[in-house]
Amino acid sequence: MNIRDFIYYMPIIISIIGIVSIALALKTKDKKSNKCIIVMNIINIIYLISISLIIPMLLPIIVDLGIIIIWFLSFCGGILYIISISICLFKRKKLEDITKNKNMFKYVLIIVLIPIILFMIILGREIYLINNSNVLLSYYSAGNGGFGDSDEFTYVINDKYCKEISIAIRYSNLFIPKSAREIDEDELESLGYNIVLDNDNYILIYKNNELIHKERINESYFNIDLKKIYYND
């Protein structure tokens, strides 16, 4: 999973949990459980806003028009959580303090921290791959040329791996190592690298005329142009 996958899939999961939250709000008869549900709902609303809107704006992450669907689903998820909060507030005066589980808030805290922990792990992985790569490649896929057909993708390469990441090095130097410099294809070849995108949608990486990587790229990428190259000594 890369950061773009996280941005696309996590709001869907959180929104679906909103349905569970409504069921729990209707079922609970305990004040502490009721309060936990409200806190969890508020945090999940914050997550939906942060993941679908704030992260793509603050970080140079490659997203496509699919993000519009994520915005819509996040909005629907937010509505579900607002309904759940309303149910909890409406029932609150009629509830009793009958819970025997004093660690409930700890469990809730652990659950709501999962998206943050997962995001930090995924972001840390991509930053690690960038910092430990010799070659960074930014590609533009025009697709069929229609509205919404285009896409961008980034590959990071060293002797051990050739990985696609979702950090857009073409538009921001935020995560580019200070030791890296922008070069052109001729200079890349002079450094011993030859990059080939074949007709079967494979990226072939040659170093000193030896094939070191052959990776399948996304089949939706075609009419591809190499836009930017960084070399990290």
Side-chain angles (χ1 to χ4, degrees), residues 1-231:
M1 177 182 284
N2 56 36
I3 301 174
R4 179 160 68 171
D5 293 334
F6 178 86
I7 291 172
Y8 283 4
Y9 295 125
M10 186 56 67
I12 297 174
I13 295 171
I14 294 174
S15 296
I16 292 173
I17 294 174
I19 300 172
V20 178
S21 178
I22 291 175
L24 291 175
L26 290 169
K27 184 179 179 180
T28 185
K29 298 179 180 179
D30 172 56
K31 281 188 178 180
K32 288 186 179 179
S33 298
N34 181 281
K35 187 176 182 179
C36 284
I37 293 171
I38 293 173
V39 171
M40 185 178 68
N41 289 345
I42 293 172
I43 291 174
N44 281 335
I45 290 173
I46 293 172
Y47 276 148
L48 288 174
I49 295 171
S50 300
I51 296 171
S52 62
L53 288 174
I54 297 176
I55 291 176
M57 286 193 300
L58 294 182
L59 297 180
I61 305 301
I62 298 170
V63 294
D64 55 27
L65 289 179
I67 194 66
I68 296 174
I69 298 174
I70 300 305
W71 292 340
F72 174 74
L73 293 175
S74 296
F75 175 78
C76 293
I79 295 298
L80 292 175
Y81 285 114
I82 291 172
I83 292 172
S84 178
I85 291 172
S86 300
I87 293 170
C88 289
L89 293 176
F90 180 78
K91 292 178 60 178
R92 188 157 184 78
K93 292 182 179 180
K94 300 178 181 180
L95 298 178
E96 298 179 3
D97 191 4
I98 58 176
T99 186
K100 296 181 180 179
N101 190 352
K102 297 181 180 180
N103 295 317
M104 183 173 296
F105 273 106
K106 293 181 181 179
Y107 297 147
V108 170
L109 181 62
I110 292 172
I111 292 172
V112 299
L113 282 177
I114 290 175
I116 294 178
I117 296 171
L118 184 59
F119 174 74
M120 296 305 297
I121 291 172
I122 295 170
L123 177 62
R125 173 183 175 273
E126 293 210 9
I127 294 174
Y128 173 84
L129 290 174
I130 289 175
N131 287 330
N132 289 276
S133 296
N134 300 116
V135 180
L136 315 175
L137 305 172
S138 177
Y139 286 99
Y140 174 77
S141 168
N144 290 316
F147 180 73
D149 272 349
S150 63
D151 208 339
E152 306 227 6
F153 58 102
T154 301
Y155 267 94
V156 291
I157 299 157
N158 68 11
D159 291 347
K160 295 181 180 180
Y161 59 76
C162 173
K163 299 286 186 181
E164 182 181 353
I165 62 171
S166 53
I167 292 176
I169 63 170
R170 181 182 174 191
Y171 300 108
S172 173
N173 295 330
L174 181 61
F175 296 108
I176 301 296
K178 293 182 178 179
S179 57
R181 68 181 191 277
E182 188 176 351
I183 62 174
D184 57 24
E185 292 185 67
D186 291 336
E187 188 173 356
L188 183 63
E189 289 185 10
S190 71
L191 292 167
Y193 287 91
N194 187 23
I195 313 296
V196 178
L197 291 177
D198 69 11
N199 293 328
D200 295 324
N201 262 36
Y202 280 93
I203 181 171
L204 309 176
I205 311 297
Y206 293 88
K207 183 178 181 181
N208 299 324
N209 297 319
E210 180 184 351
L211 179 65
I212 60 172
H213 299 295
K214 180 179 180 180
E215 296 290 336
R216 181 84 172 181
I217 67 173
N218 193 316
E219 292 183 356
S220 66
Y221 300 154
F222 54 99
N223 292 330
I224 297 169
D225 289 322
L226 180 58
K227 293 296 185 179
K228 187 169 283 191
I229 307 170
Y230 283 96
Y231 183 75

